[in-house]
Amino acid sequence: MENNNHKGNIDFKNDLFRNLPEIQLKSSSKNYTIEIPDITRSFFDIGFNLKNLLFSNNKISFKLDMFTSKYSNGNIYGEVYRIRSTTFKSNLKKYYKLIIPLNEKKIDFLYQLSRYGYASENDNHISTNATSFNIGNENFFIIIEKKDDKSYLIVHSEKRQIYNDFSKKCHSILICLGYITGHYISDKGYYFTYNTKKMDVFTSYLYRTLRDGMKNFWQPINSNAYSWVDSRNPKRAEKIYKKYNLRTLNKSEFSKLCSLCIENDDFLSVLFLILESNDASLVFRPGGYSIALETLSNIISSKSKIRQKPITSKEDCKKFQNDLYAVLDKYKDFDSFKDIETLKGKIEYINQMTNQEKLTAPFKELGINISKEDLEVVKSRNAFLHGRVPDFRNLGKNRTIEEKDADLYYASAKLYTLLNLLILKYIGYDSYVLNFSKLYEQKTKYPIKEDYYRK
């Protein structure tokens, strides 16, 4: 069906519409639309959600779901968000394959993920533009396939399952792939079902719109130093290439990344928030990264073996608090003590870590060294969340817009790099990540005494 227009009849389950002329289903890069003649205008309104409509002509028939989106020239237009063959049953266990059309002709993950050789469906040649990984005991494959001068992303599993289980896993997998490559591939997808693991003949299909895709040049790792450093410092790129053991994520590491996203919605949200922040304006970007860092810190610290509270004994803490309450009680009648209850609240939470301690604890847990410059940006969390631009260079109130933008860009690069260090170390990756504050030091005008890669 991809990129094809179809004319046919739609059964609106209403006798008033039995004699409508043929309706055209039009394909676009994002979705399908239909134009309904004006005879229906008095029966449909904008925002109507119409489900399970049968579309048919002398060659094809399928069911679709749509919502009415706008009026134009007396007609009403519908956005089709789901199409399925009449044989598609979401509750039946099948072998599934997701295919997403790609707008770009050349997409790969050569320098981010380990490669897997597969026999192309096109001409049976062996291609390595693919990777394999596991989620539990389930084998998955991601493949970039070309056909008729077009490219497609394919995700499939070797396990029978129902549609909802497979689609949920694919959602997480696409976010993981987007995070590690900087390109979140989505927009629309075609799900095909098969009766056998060989997947040679599909038995039914489902088309549905997906989240909008996002593409950003930022990516946490790149095993080819020349990709990022060469244009800035060719000699330095050569030294890095010789000095460091740069590598991609291996199968085990990418498997853990995907598994964590499926098992932990908060972890999945962190990766998606990073993708959203990568695609946001400078005003919102550091705030998004700061929220992601706080959520990620809570995830890692929840399993931390490092001390999480200043007083490790509950009994000692309670005794200490009671002593403080007793001291405070002696001052309750002093005129200068205006709000005793607030002070009691401080005592109640006296054994809690500060926000800064909570945000830096995961770095200690994972053995990641952070500099005073890193810490200064992390400490600026509240400023970002309240829409303020920290003055890292102490330029004063007369900073220009360009200087404030440079502060935001610098902070974004720092926070993004720190997030990548935590995430990748957490899944067992022991090689180097791109240091974006160094890569963009000329643009931010912040001299960085670090290398282009760090760990």
Side-chain angles (χ1 to χ4, degrees):
M1 291 181 60
E2 169 65 10
N3 290 332
N4 288 325
N5 298 328
H6 300 273
K7 285 186 176 182
N9 299 303
I10 293 182
D11 183 3
F12 287 100
K13 303 175 184 178
N14 190 318
D15 290 337
L16 293 174
F17 306 144
R18 291 299 181 190
N19 297 318
L20 284 178
E22 280 193 325
I23 293 173
Q24 186 167 26
L25 179 72
K26 297 181 179 179
S27 172
S28 67
S29 60
K30 171 61 180 174
N31 59 11
Y32 289 89
T33 61
I34 62 174
E35 180 180 351
I36 307 172
D38 59 1
I39 188 175
T40 65
R41 182 166 180 172
S42 59
F43 298 93
F44 298 141
D45 201 355
I46 300 300
F48 267 36
N49 197 12
L50 307 173
K51 293 186 175 182
N52 213 30
L53 302 178
L54 180 64
F55 180 99
S56 61
N57 57 32
N58 58 0
K59 293 182 179 179
I60 191 172
S61 65
F62 47 79
K63 293 183 178 181
L64 59 84
D65 301 337
M66 57 164 279
F67 67 91
T68 53
S69 58
K70 68 176 182 178
Y71 287 120
S72 180
N73 297 323
N75 294 342
I76 192 166
Y77 287 79
E79 303 288 334
V80 178
Y81 58 88
R82 190 178 290 117
I83 297 173
R84 58 199 171 281
S85 62
T86 55
T87 56
F88 181 83
K89 304 293 182 184
S90 63
N91 60 343
L92 294 181
K93 287 188 176 182
K94 297 282 185 176
Y95 294 101
Y96 274 91
K97 182 181 292 185
L98 168 62
I99 300 179
I100 299 178
L102 301 176
N103 295 324
E104 292 84 357
K105 289 186 177 181
K106 185 177 181 182
I107 292 180
D108 62 41
F109 31 81
L110 176 63
Y111 302 119
Q112 285 81 40
L113 297 174
S114 59
R115 290 305 180 110
Y116 166 81
Y118 80 102
S120 170
E121 295 181 4
N122 246 351
D123 50 16
N124 290 323
H125 76 279
I126 300 299
S127 173
T128 58
N129 202 1
T131 192
S132 66
F133 55 98
N134 305 108
I135 297 175
N137 59 359
E138 183 176 355
N139 296 322
F140 274 90
F141 303 88
I142 298 175
I143 301 165
I144 303 294
E145 182 71 279
K146 291 185 177 181
K147 185 174 183 180
D148 299 331
D149 203 32
K150 295 180 181 178
S151 296
Y152 301 87
L153 175 76
I154 302 172
V155 181
H156 72 85
S157 163
E158 292 184 336
K159 178 182 177 180
R160 279 182 178 271
Q161 57 199 299
I162 62 174
Y163 165 74
N164 284 342
D165 289 345
F166 180 74
S167 63
K168 181 180 178 181
K169 292 169 188 173
C170 285
H171 173 65
S172 296
I173 290 167
L174 293 175
I175 290 176
C176 289
L177 181 65
Y179 163 71
I180 208 68
T181 64
H183 189 180
Y184 173 56
I185 299 170
S186 193
D187 291 328
K188 63 181 180 181
Y190 298 81
Y191 295 83
F192 292 90
T193 68
Y194 302 83
N195 287 331
T196 65
K197 188 183 292 189
K198 189 177 180 181
M199 294 186 179
D200 50 353
V201 179
F202 74 88
T203 56
S204 65
Y205 64 85
L206 166 72
Y207 155 85
R208 57 167 293 192
T209 56
L210 304 172
R211 289 176 180 264
D212 290 343
M214 292 176 282
K215 185 175 183 179
N216 188 278
F217 291 108
W218 285 19
Q219 51 192 206
I221 61 173
N222 193 302
S223 61
N224 179 15
Y226 294 93
S227 296
W228 278 95
V229 184
D230 184 55
S231 61
R232 295 163 175 82
N233 192 331
K235 291 184 179 180
R236 186 61 177 164
E238 184 177 356
K239 289 181 180 179
I240 291 174
Y241 189 78
K242 293 178 179 179
K243 179 180 179 181
Y244 298 131
N245 181 28
L246 302 179
R247 66 174 180 85
T248 65
L249 287 187
N250 60 35
K251 180 176 181 176
S252 174
E253 292 156 353
F254 189 62
S255 296
K256 185 171 183 180
L257 184 69
C258 294
S259 297
L260 279 170
C261 283
I262 290 171
E263 297 164 2
N264 190 325
D265 285 342
D266 288 342
F267 192 85
L268 178 66
S269 296
V270 166
L271 294 198
F272 197 73
L273 182 54
I274 291 173
L275 286 171
E276 291 275 11
S277 300
N278 289 350
D279 207 41
S281 72
L282 276 178
V283 175
F284 295 102
R285 191 179 295 186
Y289 291 146
S290 295
I291 296 171
L293 179 59
E294 185 170 359
T295 305
L296 182 62
S297 297
N298 291 334
I299 293 171
I300 297 174
S301 296
S302 66
K303 299 182 179 180
S304 174
K305 298 178 182 179
I306 291 179
R307 172 189 61 82
Q308 293 297 308
K309 294 183 178 181
I311 305 171
T312 57
S313 168
K314 289 183 178 180
E315 293 77 11
D316 291 344
C317 179
K318 189 67 176 177
K319 183 177 182 301
F320 180 56
Q321 286 173 317
N322 289 336
D323 289 344
L324 291 176
Y325 286 133
V327 171
L328 179 61
D329 192 57
K330 296 178 181 180
Y331 290 86
K332 65 181 180 181
D333 295 326
F334 279 51
D335 289 339
S336 59
F337 280 62
K338 302 295 184 182
D339 192 346
I340 294 295
E341 293 303 316
T342 295
L343 295 174
K344 286 183 178 180
K346 297 286 186 182
I347 295 173
E348 182 181 355
Y349 294 103
I350 197 169
N351 200 31
Q352 299 297 315
M353 298 174 69
T354 65
N355 283 334
Q356 179 181 322
E357 289 171 332
K358 290 178 182 178
L359 293 174
T360 56
F363 294 95
K364 296 177 183 178
E365 168 73 12
L366 297 176
I368 299 171
N369 295 323
I370 55 175
S371 66
K372 65 177 183 179
E373 291 81 13
D374 295 331
L375 188 57
E376 186 178 14
V377 174
V378 171
K379 287 167 58 179
S380 301
R381 162 192 172 276
N382 285 343
F384 295 132
L385 296 183
H386 290 88
R388 300 192 299 271
V389 182
D391 185 5
F392 295 112
R393 291 173 289 186
N394 298 315
L395 299 178
K397 296 181 179 179
N398 294 323
R399 278 182 299 168
T400 64
I401 294 176
E402 289 76 14
E403 288 168 337
K404 289 182 179 180
D405 284 347
D407 288 330
L408 291 171
Y409 212 124
Y410 166 75
S412 297
K414 273 285 184 189
L415 288 168
Y416 178 69
T417 302
L418 291 172
L419 282 165
N420 294 333
L421 286 167
L422 283 176
I423 291 169
L424 296 180
K425 193 69 176 288
Y426 189 57
I427 64 171
Y429 182 74
D430 60 1
S431 191
Y432 294 82
V433 306
L434 287 161
N435 186 358
F436 279 85
S437 55
K438 179 65 175 179
L439 289 167
Y440 285 98
E441 66 177 334
Q442 292 183 358
K443 189 166 186 175
T444 64
K445 298 180 175 60
Y446 276 82
I448 306 296
K449 296 179 181 179
E450 299 170 357
D451 212 336
Y452 293 100
Y453 284 80
R454 61 180 290 190
K455 64 186 293 188

